[in-house]
Amino acid sequence: MKRFLIAAFLLTASISTGLAQSAPTVSPAIDGILEVFKTHPLVGIGEHHRIAQELDFYAALVRDPRFAAEVGNVVVEFGGAARQDVIDRYVNGEDVPYSELRKVWTDTVGWLPVVTAVGYPAFFAQVRETNLGLPPDKRIHVWLGEPVIDWDNLKTHADWQALDETRDIKPIEVIEKQILTPRKKSLIIYGYGHFMPSVPGSAGEKLKKAGWRDNWGEKIRRDHPGKMFVVLPYGGSRDKACAQDVESRMTDWPVPALTMPLKGSETAAKLRICNPIKAENFNFPPGLTDSEKQQVLAFEADAPSYADALLYLGPSSSLTYSPYIPDLYLDQDYGRTIARHHQLQTGESYPTYLIKDYTRARKVWP
């Protein structure tokens, strides 16, 4: 769990440690991703979570007629496998009561306390709309990657924590059984931390003992070399002047754009400067030497360079968070449900938010 919390911060951090300058190739993003599928059965988008422009891009991608024809599958982190039958019926056009459909993004393990951005259920709706225009055997299949959970049977934080430790099992099972074995292709939408390799060396060994587990993405790459291509969306920077300098090199890019490779490019070098990695942002477990801490910092500073391409969705100043699902503040019974989830996940009471906290528009970098 700690591993993913750190990775979440690093999503908007440096793109590469490589300082060599190399010219990337740039293409319209949908064209570029579909081209990648010609050589890789798996294309992962390592999202930042909740950024509206990323969620809009997923919807645009599945709307493109080539996606259903050439790919046809999506594995997502924002749905629980216990409700696979529900999402199957929904995206194939059946009538599904909203109270039942909502369990798809509510019965998840790792989202605290649940999936909260409206862009995620909107993605399911977009797949449904796309599928209604296709014959049944040509429709897009959505695979839910969160492990099965029965919240009614969970009584303590320890119960939830034990299940959380199994999160990597389900996506591997789905990808291997439903995609790779039958020789199919799939888009995979997960937080970028899940695609990260493990910290090497003695520092890595100590981190594993402290609970930093291997990510499923690393296991897929190890067991199925060359099968997965990873895309990292551009997340901007808190340093506005630095972001503007980086983006001045992107003014002639299409929006959205896919650019590759990352490592060694001028864009990568500039982004590293814009987003320095600082020790105070890490909660190191006990037992690491100063040298090992520096090993971790150096490794994490290079984190996004483990992606194969950068997805540019617009300048830093334009990035916004997807609005909250209104159920969070309109449905009191649902509010009590997610408050219980939060208590089991964290051992703490769910915070009280004002309505304006839910409804106001929010920029990623104010």
Side-chain angles (χ1 to χ4, degrees), residues 333-349:
D333 286 340
Y334 191 65
R336 285 187 282 271
T337 294
I338 65 170
R340 181 175 182 272
H341 287 196
H342 187 271
Q343 180 73 43
L344 289 167
Q345 290 167 316
T346 68
E348 300 174 357
S349 298

Side-chain angles (χ1 to χ4, degrees), residues 165-276:
E165 292 298 321
T166 72
R167 282 189 76 203
D168 283 348
I169 296 174
K170 190 61 182 180
I172 292 174
E173 174 189 305
V174 169
I175 291 167
E176 290 184 334
K177 182 178 179 180
Q178 305 296 345
I179 309 301
L180 293 177
T181 297
R183 297 183 180 276
K184 295 182 179 181
K185 298 180 181 182
S186 183
L187 178 70
I188 305 170
I189 305 172
Y190 261 74
Y192 184 62
H194 295 276
F195 295 102
M196 289 270 294
S198 297
V199 178
S202 61
E205 291 301 317
K206 290 183 179 179
L207 291 176
K208 288 180 182 179
K209 291 180 181 178
W212 289 34
R213 61 184 181 269
D214 289 341
N215 302 317
W216 65 257
E218 180 175 17
K219 295 176 182 177
I220 290 291
R221 280 193 296 266
R222 183 183 63 230
D223 296 343
H224 306 278
K227 298 296 185 182
M228 185 165 66
F229 186 98
V230 178
V231 176
L232 175 66
Y234 169 65
S237 172
R238 189 182 305 276
D239 186 332
K240 295 182 180 180
C242 198
Q244 290 171 357
D245 181 45
V246 172
E247 292 157 10
S248 68
R249 294 159 173 78
M250 304 173 177
T251 54
D252 60 345
W253 290 11
V255 179
L258 189 74
T259 180
M260 64 181 92
L262 289 183
K263 198 172 184 69
S265 69
E266 182 180 10
T267 300
K270 279 289 185 180
L271 283 171
R272 179 175 172 79
I273 295 171
C274 288
N275 296 283

